[in-house]
Amino acid sequence: MAAIYLTSVTLRRELTEGSWLRRLGPVQYLTKGGVLTFDRPVTFLVGENGTGKSTLLEGVAVACGFNPEGGTRNFSFSTRATHSELGEYLTPARKRYPKDGFFLRAESFYNVATNIDELDKTPARAPRLIDSYGGVSLHCQSHGESFLALVQNRFGGKGLYLLDEPEAALSPSRLLTLMGEMDQLVKADSQFIVATHSPILMAFPGARIYELSEAGLRAVEYQETEHYQLTKRFLDNPERMLRYLLEDEGKQKIP
């Protein structure tokens, strides 16, 4: 049976009046008593820019004890406090506690890599922290290589892994590599919650997909997602799509 550590998230109390978070569809959904349920080992949060995917994932991560800027629960660095207060309002329901965990944020992974290097400068530190990430400074690799080094070396199984737009640094072939790594980790009793725009990644077999919008959130099938439909239409006939997009100085709407 697949491992599920985090089973659901609810809003413990209503956010304060005037909070910008109240405008987000998924927050409105939770405010009305909705429950964000995690019933499969892989869950995707998808939707247009600005619908609250990263904000919701960040809130879930903070509610589960992760550093808002990313890393494991043991990371406590703060480069700039830009995270929202949503995590303080969320109540996570757990079936059991994972032995491992990591919150990956594409936008702040540079800061995580820097913190690892700084911690390893501590006199007489042994073993080095970087040894758990493949032994080579994450700054000495490309963005995509460092992402995969993290997953392949630091993620040890029996864990809860939250990934925010991991596709930002990965080529299509490396995305397939990531999916293979995720599959092995799921088989090693791991759970993933992923905010993504990638129609490749969200094709992971058996995953639960939640589509976020101004109206809230809802569970959808892979082929129902706008990401899949738009990508398929483009690849089926790129000339036609580009003609509509670029003609008349871009004023035509995508059909």
Side-chain angles (χ1 to χ4, degrees), residues 25 69 79 137 180 191 194 210 244:
E69 290 193 39
T79 305
S137 171
Q191 179 182 4
V194 185
Y210 287 113
Y244 275 92

Side-chain angles (χ1 to χ4, degrees), residues 8-252:
S8 67
V9 167
T10 55
L11 201 65
R12 69 164 63 99
R13 66 183 188 278
E14 194 168 334
L15 282 91
T16 58
E17 286 290 338
S19 172
W20 65 273
L21 292 166
R22 295 168 66 98
R23 301 195 299 268
L24 296 177
V27 174
Q28 293 176 15
Y29 170 82
L30 293 171
T31 300
K32 295 175 183 176
V35 179
L36 178 57
T37 302
F38 303 105
D39 58 354
R40 300 183 187 180
V42 177
T43 301
F44 292 113
L45 306 177
V46 308
E48 259 301 339
N49 295 122
T51 52
K53 300 181 302 301
S54 294
T55 300
L56 180 58
L57 185 66
E58 175 191 85
V60 171
V62 171
C64 291
F66 290 99
N67 180 33
E69 290 193 39
T72 70
R73 291 184 182 87
N74 296 324
F75 279 71
S76 59
F77 72 92
S78 177
T79 305
R80 184 180 180 188
T82 58
H83 62 282
S84 76
E85 72 270 28
L86 182 59
E88 302 169 14
Y89 289 80
L90 297 179
T91 298
R94 299 177 176 89
K95 194 171 185 179
R96 48 181 169 158
Y97 282 86
K99 292 184 178 180
D100 191 27
F102 202 95
F103 176 32
L104 170 65
R105 300 190 63 158
E107 65 183 48
S108 60
F109 190 58
Y110 179 94
N111 300 335
V112 172
T114 298
N115 190 241
I116 292 171
D117 287 350
E118 290 297 323
L119 289 172
D120 277 343
K121 291 179 182 178
T122 304
R125 181 179 180 89
R128 298 182 310 159
L129 189 58
I130 194 60
D131 291 339
S132 298
Y133 294 78
V136 178
S137 171
L138 299 174
H139 282 311
C140 295
Q141 306 175 56
S142 74
H143 205 184
E145 288 174 329
S146 64
F147 270 34
L148 286 178
L150 167 71
V151 176
Q152 292 171 334
N153 296 285
R154 176 57 187 79
F155 291 10
K158 299 183 186 297
L160 172 62
Y161 304 111
L162 289 79
L163 314 181
D164 185 19
E165 300 185 6
E167 71 274 11
L170 300 175
S171 68
S173 65
R174 290 297 184 265
L175 270 174
L176 296 177
T177 299
L178 174 61
M179 292 175 71
E181 296 293 339
M182 289 173 60
D183 180 62
Q184 292 302 310
L185 286 161
V186 166
K187 291 173 180 175
D189 294 331
S190 296
Q191 179 182 4
F192 285 86
I193 303 173
V194 185
T196 185
H197 290 289
S198 171
I200 294 177
L201 195 57
M202 64 181 73
F204 190 94
R208 172 72 70 195
I209 302 175
Y210 287 113
E211 187 173 69
L212 281 61
S213 68
E214 293 180 358
L217 63 84
R218 65 189 183 102
V220 296
E221 296 299 321
Y222 172 58
Q223 293 184 352
E224 291 182 273
T225 64
E226 183 180 356
H227 302 73
Y228 169 84
Q229 294 176 5
L230 184 58
T231 302
K232 185 176 187 303
R233 284 158 58 194
F234 182 86
L235 294 177
D236 284 346
N237 196 334
E239 294 82 7
R240 179 171 180 265
M241 291 286 282
L242 289 171
R243 185 171 65 251
Y244 275 92
L245 177 66
L246 302 179
E247 281 185 355
D248 195 20
E249 297 181 356
K251 293 180 182 178
Q252 295 282 355

